[in-house]
Amino acid sequence: MSNYIVIEGLIGVGKTSLCHLLRKRLNARLVLEPCEANPFLASFYADPKHYAFPAQMFYLAGRYQQQVELLQRSLFESLTVADYLFEKDRLFAEQTLNDEEMGLYNRFTELLSHHVCCPDFVIYLDAPTDVILSRIHRRSIDAEQVIESDYLDALRARYQALWDRWKQCPVYMLDTTNLNYVDNPKDADYMCKLVEGYIDGHPIEGAPKPYSIESQGRLLFS
């Protein structure tokens, strides 16, 4: 039985909503990205060139602190669900930092990478870019309203490259275009049964299989 799982995906795709659902239905411990508002985030979205590095380092510090706490508190005696994979931090860094900033970022992450938890499996949520943009607009977080489709497409490509080289645990890819597990009880039940099947090692009928390059089981939204 799995004890630590991660829900991943692009901004606005529904990661945190699914985590809250699993906390309620499966009595899971919840680990969300650090809730402190990033003081550089709005400036970054408006002017990425000048604010990428402080925004990135703020997130890195918060995510790393959480990972250390996970290891120290032995949370994995019961089900723990997180809405991010620590390795995602590098995806954003690669997309936004210049060469000099990336060199400094690498020096920090080389020191930190030995104190990070690996999940039993990852569920990667995705949907077409226009669907994700509509969700971002609907949830009305001011700092996110300047996000453009090119940014999401480039980030999706980096996630795909991560899964292509990922060997640490299974990754299950799920298209959420027609799923509304926030408002639709049937969709909520389906998602809980899907996740429970993966946790117990007995996936439900029709559940996505673990991603591999050979299976070509990738989501190619743009």
Side-chain angles (χ1 to χ4, degrees), residues 5 24 38 54 57 79 85 90 98 103 116 123 136 154 159-160 167 169-170 180 189 200 210 216:
I5 67 176
K24 180 179 180 181
N38 188 327
M57 296 308 291
L79 177 63
L85 186 70
R90 175 170 293 277
N98 62 37
V116 172
I123 295 180
I136 289 174
Y159 267 111
Q160 186 65 64
K167 305 296 183 184
C169 68
N180 181 2
D189 290 342
D200 295 336
Q216 298 297 311

Side-chain angles (χ1 to χ4, degrees), residues 59-205:
Y59 277 133
L60 176 64
R63 289 165 178 157
Y64 174 70
Q65 181 178 4
Q66 234 176 13
Q67 294 294 309
V68 171
E69 291 173 355
L70 282 175
L71 288 171
Q72 292 176 342
R73 292 167 60 190
S74 300
L75 290 181
F76 307 134
E77 294 177 0
S78 60
L79 177 63
T80 299
V81 179
D83 70 344
Y84 74 98
L85 186 70
F86 184 77
E87 285 77 3
K88 77 176 289 183
D89 197 89
R90 175 170 293 277
L91 303 187
F92 287 84
E94 291 173 343
Q95 184 159 332
T96 60
L97 302 184
N98 62 37
D99 291 344
E100 291 76 15
E101 292 168 341
M102 195 68 203
L104 184 56
Y105 174 88
N106 285 332
R107 293 179 66 180
F108 278 101
T109 55
E110 286 172 6
L111 296 172
L112 305 181
S113 60
H114 301 294
H115 304 282
V116 172
C117 302
C118 181
D120 295 300
F121 64 84
V122 175
I123 295 180
Y124 175 67
L125 308 178
D126 204 358
T129 301
D130 60 340
V131 173
I132 294 178
L133 283 173
S134 70
R135 293 174 181 173
I136 289 174
H137 294 156
R138 188 165 61 246
R139 72 184 191 176
S140 300
I141 297 175
D142 289 342
E144 296 178 351
Q145 299 311 303
V146 297
I147 295 176
E148 298 181 348
S149 59
D150 288 348
Y151 177 81
L152 293 174
D153 291 340
L155 186 56
R156 179 185 288 107
R158 292 191 181 279
Y159 267 111
Q160 186 65 64
L162 172 63
W163 306 138
D164 284 349
R165 64 177 183 269
W166 184 257
K167 305 296 183 184
Q168 286 86 330
C169 68
V171 176
Y172 303 101
M173 295 186 172
L174 183 65
D175 178 4
T176 68
T177 304
N178 298 313
L179 290 172
N180 181 2
Y181 39 81
V182 174
D183 302 313
N184 188 323
K186 289 184 178 180
D187 287 347
D189 290 342
Y190 169 76
M191 290 302 299
C192 289
K193 291 177 181 177
L194 178 72
V195 174
E196 283 183 301
Y198 288 140
I199 291 171
D200 295 336
H202 301 287
I204 64 174
E205 184 178 356

